Each structure stands twice: as structure tokens, then as C-alpha cells.
Amino acid sequence: MTEDEALRVLDTRKLTRAHVPRFEEFDHWRWYGRCAVLHDDQGEPQEIYFWGFSGD
């Protein structure tokens, strides 16, 4: 997910685990894979979150 996408849909550039439930707003088609960098409360990157849909 780009920072611009996050800002447009989630109103932030620094995503956290609290934003994960809203990631489905980016799912508009089949056969895709996405990732996002998740940050801690101090704004430091902590993990990469992957999600997607295989179409099966």
C-alpha cells in the first residue's frame, strides 16, 4: 500500500495494527496481493503485513 493510498482512505501515512481491519477497503478485485508497513505508537516501522486473495 502506498502512503498516498493510506492517506486517502485511512487519513494517515503511518499505519498501525489498528488499521488492519480497514484494509479490506483496498480489496476490489480477485488475484491480488498487498502489503503494508505497520508502525508502533512512536511511529517507528515494526512489521510488514501481507494480505490478498487467490481467487480460488
Side-chain angles (χ1 to χ4, degrees):
M1 176 181 323
T2 67
E3 286 186 350
D4 289 340
E5 287 176 313
L7 185 61
R8 184 176 68 250
V9 177
L10 302 171
D11 200 32
T12 185
R13 292 183 185 272
K14 302 274 184 167
L15 300 169
T16 67
R17 284 186 162 261
H19 294 106
V20 171
R22 294 199 51 207
F23 286 2
E24 67 186 36
E25 295 177 36
F26 295 93
D27 305 342
H28 302 291
W29 53 85
R30 299 174 85 174
W31 299 101
Y32 70 91
R34 304 290 307 258
C35 68
V37 176
L38 301 182
H39 300 77
D40 64 15
D41 292 338
Q42 289 76 39
E44 296 296 319
Q46 293 298 304
E47 63 184 292
I48 300 173
Y49 183 84
F50 294 91
W51 78 101
F53 183 69
S54 68
D56 293 340

